[in-house]
């Protein structure tokens, strides 16, 4: 059961001229409303970024919740998306599917998503809210994943690439098989200063399951549940674990 969904307030986007962001080859694309589609929406901003080669930056300019009627477009070109903070920029899938796929398979691209809440995803397969395609890299900074579900693996997300999670929250995510919050099956996994609470599944890795080189530091795991590895389950991976706290996992 989904418990304690995090605050939902957020996301307003649109497309106006803005200064060129550091490292970007184009002016930042501003999202100016919280509509699911149309001019100024996050969906339109992603479509624009996908259509122009080179690194792009999308920036939220208004707070609020974007209620998604369908998944956002797959991110197919290097991209940074900057929200206003997890309490103010919210992506709500309304239990209609996944929120977003990051990268084309084998694309070798780099992505960063900062300051969003991902919630209400219900995916028939792996990666409830987010799926990172193989061969790509993703940084998630200051993001919250709350109340997402996958019928397969990775209630919040599945990673087949190089994934870094920093200053995040994973709360009340669940799946039908392994990895209540995160399932990392290829590439590598780095987790820093992140809280995992009340995530669960009926098999392995209540919060995280990984078969890749993994580094975890300054993390908290509390109240996560699974048959094997209430908090974590690792198979054939090199694990570095530092300064992390485990409490009441089953």
């Amino acid at each position: 059961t989904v418990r304690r969904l995090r605050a939902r307030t957020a996301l307003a986007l649109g497309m106006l001229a803005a200064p060129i962001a550091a490292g970007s080859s184009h002016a930042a694309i501003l999202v100016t409303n919280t509509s699911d589609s149309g001019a100024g929406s996050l969906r339109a901003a992603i479509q624009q970024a996908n259509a122009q080669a080179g690194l792009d930056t999308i920036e939220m300019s208004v707070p609020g919740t974007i209620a998604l009627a369908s998944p956002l477009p797959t991110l197919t070109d290097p991209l940074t998306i900057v929200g206003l903070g997890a309490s103010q920029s919210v992506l709500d899938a309304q239990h209609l599917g996944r929120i977003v796929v990051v990268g084309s398979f084998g694309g070798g691209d780099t992505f960063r998503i900062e300051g969003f809440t991902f919630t209400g995803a219900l995916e028939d397969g792996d990666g409830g809210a987010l799926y990172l395609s193989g061969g790509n890299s993703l940084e998630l900074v200051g993001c919250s994943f709350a109340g997402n579900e996958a019928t397969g693996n990775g209630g919040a997300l599945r990673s087949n690439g190089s994934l870094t999670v920093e200053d995040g929250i994973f709360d009340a995510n669940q799946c039908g098989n392994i990895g209540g919050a995160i399932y990392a099956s290829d590439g590598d996994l780095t987790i820093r200063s992140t809280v995992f609470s009340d995530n669960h599944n009926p098999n392995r890795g209540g919060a995280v399951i990984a078969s890749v080189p993994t580094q975890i530091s300054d993390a908290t795991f509390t109240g996560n549940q699974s048959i094997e590895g209430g908090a974590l389950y690792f198979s054939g991976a090199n694990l570095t674990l530092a300064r992390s706290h485990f409490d009441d996992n089953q």
Side-chain angles (χ1 to χ4, degrees), residues 162-206:
S162 178
L163 175 65
T164 298
V165 178
E166 187 168 355
D167 295 326
I169 295 172
F170 290 78
D171 179 66
N173 302 286
Q174 61 181 305
C175 69
N177 192 22
I178 58 177
I182 295 176
Y183 174 41
S185 57
D186 203 356
D188 56 77
L189 175 64
T190 301
I191 297 171
R192 304 187 192 103
S193 304
T194 293
V195 175
F196 295 85
S197 59
D198 297 330
N199 304 286
H200 63 94
N201 67 69
N203 199 339
R204 294 175 176 174

Side-chain angles (χ1 to χ4, degrees), residues 68-231:
L68 299 171
S70 63
L72 291 168
T74 297
L75 310 185
T76 59
D77 205 47
L79 179 62
T80 295
I81 306 178
V82 182
L84 297 174
S87 67
Q88 297 194 69
S89 294
V90 178
L91 301 172
D92 186 353
Q94 304 185 96
H95 305 288
L96 297 175
R98 182 188 287 132
I99 291 175
V100 69
V101 173
V102 177
S104 302
F105 179 76
D109 292 320
T110 299
F111 302 89
R112 178 183 172 97
I113 301 175
E114 179 179 342
F116 283 89
T117 286
F118 295 74
T119 190
L122 177 58
E123 174 62 19
D124 185 13
D126 292 354
L130 185 151
Y131 189 103
L132 175 61
S133 298
N136 299 282
S137 299
L138 172 63
E139 288 183 87
L140 291 169
V141 180
C143 290
S144 172
F145 289 77
N148 302 291
E149 182 176 356
T151 60
N153 308 309
L157 66 89
R158 176 169 180 174
S159 173
N160 285 330
S162 178
L163 175 65
T164 298
V165 178
E166 187 168 355
D167 295 326
I169 295 172
F170 290 78
D171 179 66
N173 302 286
Q174 61 181 305
C175 69
N177 192 22
I178 58 177
I182 295 176
Y183 174 41
S185 57
D186 203 356
D188 56 77
L189 175 64
T190 301
I191 297 171
R192 304 187 192 103
S193 304
T194 293
V195 175
F196 295 85
S197 59
D198 297 330
N199 304 286
H200 63 94
N201 67 69
N203 199 339
R204 294 175 176 174
V208 176
I209 185 166
S211 55
V212 300
T214 299
Q215 298 184 21
I216 300 175
S217 59
D218 303 298
T220 298
F221 295 82
T222 181
N224 303 287
Q225 298 182 34
S226 188
I227 298 300
E228 294 184 76

Side-chain angles (χ1 to χ4, degrees), residues 24-90:
S24 295
S25 54
H26 309 103
I29 303 167
L30 299 184
V31 179
T32 56
N33 61 60
T34 55
S35 299
D36 178 43
S37 61
S41 68
L42 177 59
R43 190 179 299 276
I46 292 172
Q47 290 168 341
Q48 178 180 334
N50 283 342
Q52 52 194 31
L55 175 63
D56 288 287
T57 299
I58 294 173
E59 297 179 356
M60 310 303 294
S61 67
V62 295
T65 296
I66 296 178
L68 299 171
S70 63
L72 291 168
T74 297
L75 310 185
T76 59
D77 205 47
L79 179 62
T80 295
I81 306 178
V82 182
L84 297 174
S87 67
Q88 297 194 69
S89 294
V90 178

